[in-house]
Amino acid sequence: MNKYFPIAIILLMASSFTSLAQKNAKPTPEKPKLIVGIVVDQMRFDYLYRYYDKYSKGGFKRLMSEGYNCKNNHYSYVPTYTGPGHASIYTGSVPAINGIAGNDWYDRDSKKSMYCAEDTTVSTVGSTSKAGLMSPRNLLVTTITDQLRLATNFGSKVIGVSQKDRGSILPAGHTANASYWFDSASGNWITSTYYMKELPSWVKTVNDKRPADQYLKQPWTPLLPLTAYTESTSDNQPYERALPGEEAPVFPHKIANYEVLRTSSGGNTITKDFAIEALKNEQLGKGKFTDFLAVSFSSTDYVGHSFGPNSIEAEDTYLRLDKDIEQLLTY
């Protein structure tokens, strides 16, 4: 997320909406049944307008027309990496206070590099890789999701979902019911023993269906004809980086493995699909208390780093993400 900034979208979804007069008549406003927090990693604010004419009515346009669009925001910390960004959004504090000073930093006590979500006291749940040795223990303060759990005496459910561990763990906070992230070694959605000893049966079912495999069987092709991407520079610019196994950074792109899948629009789609499975199977928004689903879309960051913010690949990723967000909101 360096050099570029994330867009954070907080959605309050109430089971019903009351008129202003009814709200004024009540001493306490009705609480939403579900809050959905969406972070789009590396998204610049101008992407809302640059691709506006090509967005659907139910995605970014719906958020802009039915919600609030805050246009005078400032980042009061450096660097704007993924870890500090997610920590700052969900804690309301800066790295000097929340402790997430970067994606990595040098720890003077241990005299070694520390990863923001690193935790060697836990184990991976869902695969045999070391990708699950993660937890929120390096985060020094509470998140809005922690405060929600505390305010309801842990009656609220909080779940984090992202391809990146840090994009799921830091928003979900210390007291989350679960946090899930994508493991490139196995193609599974995994977690750590910080949260649970065994994956829920619904997560096992998702993993057994191998949803990521369909993107390895077909190339990433543009949603529109290449000539339609008028908001971007032409394909194959010298600053673009070819994906592993490719000779040139041009469409169509071969998705050679699960790690490469992250640098494609398919990575966002499997995140959306898993988030919907979490909503469905955990019955989020169906209980007595307000629940919180924290979703972070990471492929925008990977694509931006590989192809640049003005590439056709970036535009295609946002147009497809718009459809993913529409499907999530519709559900």
Side-chain angles (χ1 to χ4, degrees), residues 136 143 145-146 148-150 152-161 168-169 171-181 191-200 202-203 278 282 284 289-294:
T143 60
T145 46
D146 286 324
L148 176 63
R149 292 269 287 160
L150 292 169
T152 60
N153 198 25
F154 300 97
S156 294
K157 274 189 176 183
V158 170
I159 294 179
V161 175
S168 174
I169 291 170
H174 299 272
T175 61
N177 298 86
S179 174
Y180 302 104
W181 53 95
T191 187
S192 82
T193 50
Y194 178 89
Y195 304 97
M196 62 192 74
K197 294 182 180 179
E198 187 177 358
L199 289 177
W202 70 265
V203 179
E282 296 291 346
L284 297 181
F289 302 101
T290 301
D291 295 327
F292 202 121
L293 176 67

Side-chain angles (χ1 to χ4, degrees), residues 42-320:
Q42 203 189 112
M43 183 174 183
R44 300 189 330 196
F45 82 94
D46 62 298
Y47 291 157
L48 291 174
Y49 306 97
R50 180 186 290 191
Y51 311 136
Y52 186 85
D53 292 341
K54 294 176 181 175
Y55 287 147
S56 65
K57 292 182 179 180
F60 286 117
K61 284 184 178 179
R62 179 180 174 185
L63 295 175
M64 295 171 71
S65 63
E66 297 182 18
Y68 291 95
N69 188 4
C70 303
K71 301 179 181 179
N72 190 25
N73 297 284
H74 303 271
Y75 292 84
S76 56
Y77 64 90
V78 171
T80 53
Y81 292 144
T82 300
H86 285 75
S88 296
I89 289 167
Y90 276 84
T91 67
S93 64
V94 293
I97 297 173
N98 64 48
I100 306 301
N103 288 337
D104 302 90
W105 60 82
Y106 180 75
D107 184 72
R108 287 178 291 182
D109 293 331
S110 63
K111 296 182 179 180
K112 66 176 185 179
S113 178
M114 173 69 72
Y115 174 62
C116 62
E118 176 183 334
D119 188 351
T120 56
T121 69
V122 299
S123 302
T124 303
V125 177
S127 83
T128 57
S129 75
K130 294 183 179 181
L133 275 63
M134 307 291 170
S135 85
R137 288 196 171 107
N138 290 328
L139 185 64
L140 303 181
V141 299
T142 58
T143 60
I144 186 175
T145 46
D146 286 324
Q147 292 298 326
L148 176 63
R149 292 269 287 160
L150 292 169
T152 60
N153 198 25
F154 300 97
S156 294
K157 274 189 176 183
V158 170
I159 294 179
V161 175
S162 178
Q163 283 188 85
K164 294 182 180 180
D165 48 55
R166 56 191 181 274
S168 174
I169 291 170
L170 298 174
H174 299 272
T175 61
N177 298 86
S179 174
Y180 302 104
W181 53 95
F182 186 70
D183 176 31
S184 294
S186 63
N188 286 344
W189 288 96
I190 65 170
T191 187
S192 82
T193 50
Y194 178 89
Y195 304 97
M196 62 192 74
K197 294 182 180 179
E198 187 177 358
L199 289 177
S201 58
W202 70 265
V203 179
K204 292 180 180 179
T205 298
V206 171
N207 286 337
D208 288 343
K209 291 180 180 178
R210 313 302 299 166
D213 286 9
Q214 63 176 304
Y215 297 96
L216 307 186
K217 299 175 182 178
Q218 56 190 9
W220 173 21
T221 58
L223 185 66
L224 306 174
L226 287 179
T227 54
Y229 291 86
T230 53
E231 293 76 25
S232 306
T233 50
S234 59
D235 216 359
N236 199 13
Q237 295 295 317
Y239 54 77
E240 296 184 342
R241 185 171 64 215
L243 296 178
E246 293 186 331
E247 295 183 0
V250 296
F251 278 112
H253 291 287
K254 180 182 178 181
I255 311 301
N257 52 51
Y258 297 126
E259 183 63 27
V260 176
L261 174 60
R262 295 176 182 270
T263 313
S264 75
S265 60
N268 286 333
T269 302
I270 64 170
T271 301
K272 175 265 300 180
D273 290 340
F274 189 82
I276 290 177
E277 288 298 321
L279 283 168
K280 185 192 312 179
N281 290 280
E282 296 291 346
Q283 293 291 294
L284 297 181
K286 303 290 186 180
K288 179 180 178 182
F289 302 101
T290 301
D291 295 327
F292 202 121
L293 176 67
V295 184
S296 179
F297 290 105
S298 306
S299 286
T300 43
D301 187 49
Y302 291 111
V303 170
H305 283 303
S306 290
F307 301 102
N310 210 48
S311 62
I312 292 177
E313 285 82 1
E315 181 174 352
D316 189 74
T317 298
Y318 281 98
L319 296 183
R320 290 179 182 275

